[in-house]
Amino acid sequence: MDNDMYDAAIDIGIAVKEDPGSSSKEKKKKRRKRKRSASEASEGSTISKGDDGQQLGDAAQPISGASGQKKKKKKKKRHTLDNDTSLEQSSDVQKPVEQKKHLINMPPLTGNLIKERSNLPVYQHRNELCTLVADNDVVLVVAETGSGKSTQIPAYILQSGILKKSAKAAAASALTSGNTTSNHQKFGRSICVTQPRRVAAITLATRVSSELNCTPGTIVGHRVRFDDTTDLRGQSTKIIFATDGMLLREAMVDPLLKRYGVICLDEAHERSLQTDVLFGVVKRAMFARSTAVDEDMIDADFEKDRAITDKMREEALRLGLPTLKVCVMSATLDVETFQRFFPGAATIKIPGRQFHVQEVYTEDPQDDYLDAALKTALQIHKYTHDGDILVFLPGQDEIEDVASLLKKHLEELEHDDSQEKSRDIVQDIKGIGVSFNSGNSMIVNGVFICVLYAALPPDAQMNAFRPRPDGCVRKIILSTNIAETSVTLNGIKYVVDCGKHKTREYSSSTGMESLKLSNISKAQAAQRMGRAGRVSEGVCLRLYPEIAFDELQSTSVPEILRVNLSHVILQLKAMGIHDPRSFSFLTPPDKDSIVKSFELLQALGAVDKSLDLTVKGREMSKLPLDPVYAHLLLQSEKFECVSEILTVVGMLSAENIFFNRAGRGDADSGLATAAGASAHKRFASNEGDLPSLLNVYNAWKAEAIYSPSGKPSKHQRKKLGSGKMLHGDWCKQNFISGRALVRAHDVRSQISELASRPKEKNGLGMRVELSCDDGELIPFYKCISAGLFLRVAIRVPSANQKQAKTGGNSGAIPSRGHYKTRVGGNSVSIHPTSFLFGRIKPPKAVVYTEMLQTSKLYIRGVTQSKKEWFDEEL
DNA sequence: TAGGGTTTT
């Protein structure tokens, strides 16, 4: 996001504020003040910075290329001037001068893999890094992929003794202020490193455990949903790798984050929703635990919640909590945003270790980027001998199209004499031909074509990670942006980047979500390019001209600006943030978006008219569910169908339960598609999708043998003969995603536990065994309708249908399933993946779980309803 | 007649 946009966002934030005492002028003044202290502090910290401390501006170079850099500088000019002025003024501002400590000298590495670890770029900077952490409350670490930041920095901090020192200091100051409780053994002794993805948290914890030569779960552990290895064996874990959602949950119970002395917010540049919220939450904890009250440091945004923050501060003082240090780790240079948010933060830049990747652009814009991608991949294949190719495409459709075209063209290469090189390759491995076809991957004339997207069954996904089969000369992977961050592919030498992606967007004015094809950002382009330089030098072929690259946004739109915030708002309210509109967001969301969220929460009864959290809202906030589903669950007791609703919300939180659910697909997977659709028929409920999901889960429970360990017990094995099947086999036979089902099961168990736990123990005290399953399920339908009363749609007969009724026949197939939503009055259609899609007699009224704009406005998760079931609720 | 990618005490 560029500066203008940022400022615009700030201004929106200001416009929201109602407090007449804090006019926007005053705010601006405060902001200036903050800026001043920021530049002042960063000036100070350069003393302890190494050579590259000054080179922050240059680090964009490998990413954006020469011309991109020029433009960037121009854009930044205004900001730079700002800084210069404030530098001049800085002398008259009194800021508590922190005594400069001497450079920390880190002891030699201990543990395993010492040679590898000392070769990492971050190793050279460990002394100054730890010194910066010791001297500053906030340190921004800008480090590219391959620098070792995520694995090494937490260990350095632990080894440096910074935690011990600040804990002791806090204990001492607590003693001098008459506080006799000494908690320096208890609080602030762990480091938390947050990750946007659970796989990353788990693998990092495992990696660092082995590097430090300790059993996972002792010194180093991970904490992700359903999997917590911290504090095993009674040891207090020192380095905790957690998903940011997990730390956020922890903050709901413990806003001071007492356990931690340092919190590292990793992958900050990704700007995930949870990381962004954590920024504000961590900042609040940091402020409450800071020893010196620097009024300049108090963000104006805290004013409204001052009372609560003051309470937190008292508590921190009473407990003798050490200061909380924050380390923001980011791969891109959007440091200004972070620095504006954390005034006075010190910055350090650590180079990554990547092989050089050559950037190639097209001369002209490509109208048909699919055709361009296809041709480019074929050209690389024709003119080079080795190196795998990764092609970024926006979606599954595009991937499948390109895959089948690629196959066709590679087959034709065999007969094309003009393409000498290709022919040679083809002849060498002719024997393999197209005989191999596993899942959606195939080998065509020695080329292993793999497709990769999230909705793909895990087995089929694995092909992209497997080494090339014998005799294959090359692997071509066609992927969505799943390969951008979520997974790592080895051996990629060529990246083909179409420059597009699909993003989920949320319109606060309509409350509708949509999936849009749009241009990627420069940061994403850099990330894609980086995939080519992991093991050797590579080439990145961008299917757009350089001038188009220059015009791309520098960073992607943060998720917080793109999604429905009702869940986040509920969480913030539960954390005691009175007015989330004045919460300190890294990038404040649109005010309409917050207002819309409040409207929903109010309709659900989670907040009252004065927007205060109700008892029900408090209960809803305890559930790791979307507020609508939390509401659905809470009122299921009334209908005596808690058990069924637990299953449904579990199933709804797992995406892609069904494989090959109806529809298109190319000739190769056509067979599987039909099989999948017919396999799903047995689960189909006449009443719609939610009862069908219930059927799947119940059938699985009745017919499959599942063991979390992967190995069924003796007792379970005995049942194998008597109609029971192993989990994996059952899923395969029924075209159900085993992974998704297990996830649904886990979510169900977790929520069931939470719901059944007594209220005194922070639970909901619900009777979770209440079931209405007598074959009819009427209370269950009533409950769904009442729970989803905001998502009701009424059928509108189409012109064709009207005609059919009056006896006319146009010959056209009558289009069925057109509805109008009761709230908003949108014209919607039933999504093709719904079990109610294409029904001859569609129900007059339905409730739905999701409304999505793609080629049309669709509703999904559709269930039959009746007027009398939802009527009274609105 | 169609699904970018994450994730929650």
Side-chain angles (χ1 to χ4, degrees):
Chain A
M1 177 185 280
D2 61 37
N3 297 323
D4 295 337
M5 265 177 82
Y6 184 86
D7 280 344
I10 291 269
D11 285 336
I12 289 165
I14 289 164
V16 182
K17 311 239 164 67
E18 299 151 337
D19 188 357
S22 56
S23 68
S24 67
K25 255 188 193 170
E26 268 177 78
K27 299 263 169 183
K28 274 182 187 155
K29 208 166 122 196
K30 287 223 169 178
R31 241 193 305 158
R32 271 202 299 277
K33 243 186 179 177
R34 287 211 298 279
K35 263 187 191 167
R36 207 152 53 207
S37 60
S39 51
E40 192 190 8
S42 62
E43 184 197 29
S45 65
T46 51
I47 296 168
S48 50
K49 274 181 195 164
D51 300 346
D52 14 11
Q54 305 290 337
Q55 294 173 2
L56 279 169
D58 296 331
Q61 202 139 19
I63 296 170
S64 46
S67 59
Q69 179 67 6
K70 234 184 226 166
K71 189 146 189 169
K72 205 164 185 170
K73 270 188 183 156
K74 235 186 216 169
K75 267 192 191 165
K76 276 183 187 162
K77 207 173 175 189
R78 185 178 59 85
H79 189 77
T80 319
L81 276 176
D82 254 17
N83 271 352
D84 289 345
T85 343
S86 52
L87 270 176
E88 280 164 30
Q89 292 170 350
S90 66
S91 55
D92 62 14
V93 182
Q94 270 309 95
K95 193 178 176 283
V97 180
E98 220 173 323
Q99 236 186 347
K100 279 282 159 263
K101 287 153 199 158
H102 60 278
L103 195 74
I104 289 179
N105 260 316
M106 295 291 290
L109 293 180
T110 54
N112 299 323
L113 301 161
I114 289 175
K115 199 178 164 200
E116 287 88 336
R117 284 157 66 201
S118 48
N119 276 333
L120 288 167
V122 72
Y123 180 78
Q124 299 301 323
H125 299 265
R126 67 198 201 288
N127 288 337
E128 53 181 309
L129 222 153
C130 287
T131 309
L132 282 184
V133 175
D135 291 351
N136 296 277
D137 286 339
V138 185
V139 178
L140 309 177
V141 180
V142 180
E144 291 151 47
T145 337
S147 63
K149 67 173 187 316
S150 309
T151 52
Q152 306 306 300
I153 292 177
Y156 295 159
I157 295 173
L158 184 67
Q159 210 182 3
S160 71
I162 292 169
L163 295 178
K164 274 186 202 166
K165 224 183 257 173
S166 56
K168 277 186 185 159
S173 91
L175 278 176
T176 52
S177 61
N179 188 342
T180 47
T181 39
S182 169
N183 284 307
H184 71 279
Q185 297 292 340
K186 223 161 122 191
F187 298 128
R189 301 303 292 271
S190 297
I191 301 161
C192 185
V193 187
T194 67
Q195 294 293 323
R197 282 166 293 279
R198 50 184 276 134
V199 190
I202 297 168
T203 50
L204 282 169
T206 313
R207 171 81 190 181
V208 176
S209 285
S210 94
E211 286 185 359
L212 298 186
N213 198 20
C214 60
T215 317
T218 54
I219 314 253
V220 184
H222 65 256
R223 185 179 279 178
V224 299
R225 194 181 192 182
F226 311 126
D227 191 1
D228 184 349
T229 68
T230 60
D231 305 319
L232 292 179
R233 302 168 191 223
Q235 294 205 36
S236 138
T237 305
K238 293 289 187 293
I239 300 176
I240 298 172
F241 287 93
T243 47
D244 35 28
M246 209 63 171
L247 187 62
L248 204 52
R249 278 281 160 191
E250 198 174 336
M252 286 178 70
V253 184
D254 174 21
L256 283 166
L257 298 164
K258 298 187 202 71
R259 161 166 207 175
Y260 305 105
V262 177
I263 288 176
C264 303
L265 301 166
D266 201 358
E267 312 290 3
H269 59 278
E270 285 188 27
R271 303 294 308 272
S272 81
L273 177 64
Q274 322 242 38
T275 321
D276 262 26
V277 178
L278 260 187
F279 265 99
V281 169
V282 166
K283 185 178 178 179
R284 194 168 73 137
M286 194 182 88
F287 168 66
R289 285 168 55 173
S290 72
T291 42
V293 188
D294 177 357
E295 286 294 328
D296 264 2
M297 278 283 287
I298 302 173
D299 198 296
D301 297 344
F302 278 133
E303 279 163 18
K304 275 198 173 172
D305 282 301
R306 191 61 193 269
I308 295 157
T309 322
D310 281 346
K311 258 191 196 162
M312 283 171 65
R313 170 176 282 281
E314 278 166 33
E315 167 90 346
L317 219 59
R318 189 178 63 78
L319 293 172
L321 294 188
T323 53
L324 178 63
K325 288 177 179 293
V326 177
C327 182
V328 179
M329 310 207 276
S330 168
T332 51
L333 281 165
D334 197 17
V335 174
E336 287 164 19
T337 307
F338 301 131
Q339 240 164 4
R340 211 174 286 136
F341 188 78
F342 285 124
T347 309
I348 178 169
K349 196 230 157 194
I350 294 159
R353 199 178 44 191
Q354 279 267 56
F355 290 93
H356 178 254
V357 180
Q358 187 191 346
E359 290 157 90
V360 182
Y361 296 89
T362 58
E363 276 181 24
D364 305 305
Q366 302 296 307
D367 286 340
D368 188 346
Y369 60 88
L370 291 186
D371 186 55
L374 177 73
K375 283 181 183 153
T376 309
L378 287 168
Q379 271 180 31
I380 297 169
H381 181 54
K382 184 178 165 189
Y383 294 111
T384 65
H385 291 286
D386 56 0
D388 293 346
I389 306 171
L390 172 62
V391 186
F392 281 101
L393 294 167
Q396 182 179 346
D397 260 12
E398 292 85 346
I399 285 171
E400 279 171 5
D401 286 352
V402 174
S404 66
L405 287 172
L406 202 53
K407 183 183 156 207
K408 205 177 117 209
H409 281 87
L410 285 169
E411 278 166 351
E412 281 168 6
L413 280 184
E414 194 175 2
H415 312 293
D416 186 349
D417 284 343
S418 65
Q419 298 179 340
E420 290 295 327
K421 264 181 198 165
S422 309
R423 202 192 56 189
D424 290 344
I425 295 166
V426 169
Q427 307 235 315
D428 281 349
I429 39 98
K430 212 173 170 183
I432 294 171
V434 282
S435 58
F436 177 86
N437 188 349
S438 156
N440 297 43
S441 307
M442 48 205 155
I443 296 176
V444 185
N445 283 326
V447 179
F448 188 25
I449 304 172
C450 308
V451 297
L452 188 61
Y453 46 84
L456 203 65
D459 273 3
Q461 278 190 355
M462 278 313 293
N463 283 323
F465 303 98
R466 288 201 185 99
R468 285 190 301 265
D470 282 347
C472 273
V473 287
R474 185 184 313 270
K475 190 154 77 168
I476 300 181
I477 302 165
L478 309 171
S479 172
T480 60
N481 44 7
I482 191 171
E484 214 169 272
T485 49
S486 307
V487 299
T488 305
L489 298 159
N490 291 315
I492 301 294
K493 195 166 178 182
Y494 302 95
V495 163
V496 179
D497 174 15
C498 76
K500 308 268 180 201
H501 67 161
K502 280 182 188 162
T503 50
R504 213 181 177 110
E505 280 174 25
Y506 173 74
S507 154
S508 54
S509 54
T510 58
M512 246 153 37
E513 289 198 322
S514 61
L515 212 54
K516 275 187 186 151
L517 183 71
S518 55
N519 290 333
I520 58 168
S521 66
K522 281 185 189 140
Q524 280 176 292
Q527 188 76 30
R528 291 181 174 191
M529 177 179 89
R531 299 280 138 171
R534 293 186 66 88
V535 284
S536 67
E537 295 200 338
V539 184
C540 175
L541 300 106
R542 300 200 168 113
L543 304 178
Y544 39 93
E546 192 167 3
I547 189 161
F549 175 89
D550 290 340
E551 282 164 7
L552 294 177
Q553 292 281 325
S554 61
T555 55
S556 328
V557 180
E559 199 181 2
I560 201 160
L561 303 181
R562 290 190 284 116
V563 295
N564 177 350
L565 292 176
S566 52
H567 190 211
V568 166
I569 299 298
L570 186 64
Q571 277 184 309
L572 291 178
K573 287 297 289 185
M575 273 187 253
I577 285 140
H578 171 70
D579 186 356
R581 286 176 302 180
S582 60
F583 180 68
S584 185
F585 286 108
L586 191 56
T587 303
D590 186 53
K591 79 167 183 184
D592 285 347
S593 187
I594 296 181
V595 169
K596 266 274 176 316
S597 300
F598 267 123
E599 279 171 12
L600 178 78
L601 292 173
Q602 208 176 337
L604 296 174
V607 295
D608 59 21
K609 274 181 186 165
S610 45
L611 304 189
D612 285 328
L613 204 63
T614 60
V615 175
K616 188 183 172 189
R618 169 84 45 203
E619 288 184 338
M620 282 167 66
S621 76
K622 289 176 188 167
L623 293 163
L625 288 174
D626 182 279
V628 173
Y629 296 154
H631 160 78
L632 176 61
L633 178 63
L634 284 178
Q635 49 112 56
S636 66
E637 204 165 24
K638 196 166 74 189
F639 293 91
E640 307 198 330
C641 60
V642 184
S643 174
E644 285 76 24
I645 296 296
L646 277 171
T647 302
V648 163
V649 295
M651 293 293 270
L652 284 170
S653 48
E655 306 249 312
N656 305 321
I657 290 272
F658 298 105
F659 282 157
N660 296 314
R661 170 100 203 94
R664 33 164 298 139
D666 60 16
D668 292 310
S669 57
L671 205 77
T673 301
S678 89
H680 294 154
K681 267 188 192 152
R682 62 176 290 231
F683 305 116
S685 155
N686 263 338
E687 274 67 33
D689 297 327
L690 268 49
S692 301
L693 285 174
L694 186 64
N695 288 343
V696 174
Y697 187 80
N698 288 340
W700 177 70
K701 286 292 267 189
E703 299 162 11
I705 291 175
Y706 168 67
S707 157
S709 66
K711 278 188 180 174
S713 65
K714 265 189 189 172
H715 177 72
Q716 283 177 316
R717 283 208 167 271
K718 268 187 190 168
K719 290 183 182 166
L720 268 179
S722 56
K724 288 242 180 190
M725 298 170 75
L726 287 177
H727 165 72
D729 296 336
W730 188 91
C731 291
K732 213 172 213 172
Q733 183 179 310
N734 291 292
F735 287 82
I736 297 291
S737 158
R739 198 172 50 173
L741 203 46
V742 166
R743 192 189 146 80
H745 176 69
D746 286 343
V747 173
R748 192 192 187 281
S749 314
Q750 184 187 34
I751 294 173
S752 174
E753 193 279 321
L754 207 54
S756 63
R757 204 192 295 163
K759 285 192 178 178
E760 312 84 75
K761 289 183 178 166
N762 210 24
L764 304 177
M766 287 175 75
R767 292 174 288 160
V768 292
E769 70 294 338
L770 277 181
S771 165
C772 68
D773 198 356
D774 57 352
E776 287 278 307
L777 290 170
I778 297 296
F780 171 70
Y781 297 125
K782 285 185 178 172
C783 179
I784 289 174
S785 288
L788 298 174
F789 70 101
L790 290 169
R791 295 173 182 175
V792 170
I794 311 291
R795 195 183 76 204
V796 276
S798 68
N800 279 337
Q801 278 172 303
K802 277 179 201 159
Q803 219 174 12
K805 261 186 187 173
T806 54
N809 190 354
S810 61
I813 304 159
S815 57
R816 308 179 194 106
H818 285 289
Y819 288 82
K820 195 155 220 155
T821 61
R822 199 168 53 136
V823 178
N826 298 298
S827 295
V828 295
S829 306
I830 291 181
H831 197 272
T833 54
S834 169
F835 282 101
L836 288 182
F837 176 79
R839 276 261 294 271
I840 298 169
K841 281 187 182 171
K844 275 185 185 158
V846 293
V847 287
Y848 57 92
T849 57
E850 201 183 356
M851 178 162 62
L852 188 73
Q853 170 90 55
T854 52
S855 57
K856 260 161 99 175
L857 192 54
Y858 287 107
I859 48 174
R860 291 203 286 205
V862 190
T863 306
Q864 185 169 338
S865 184
K866 283 184 180 167
K867 213 170 182 305
E868 59 268 28
W869 291 347
F870 54 76
D871 234 12
E872 56 195 76
E873 290 280 353
L874 202 72

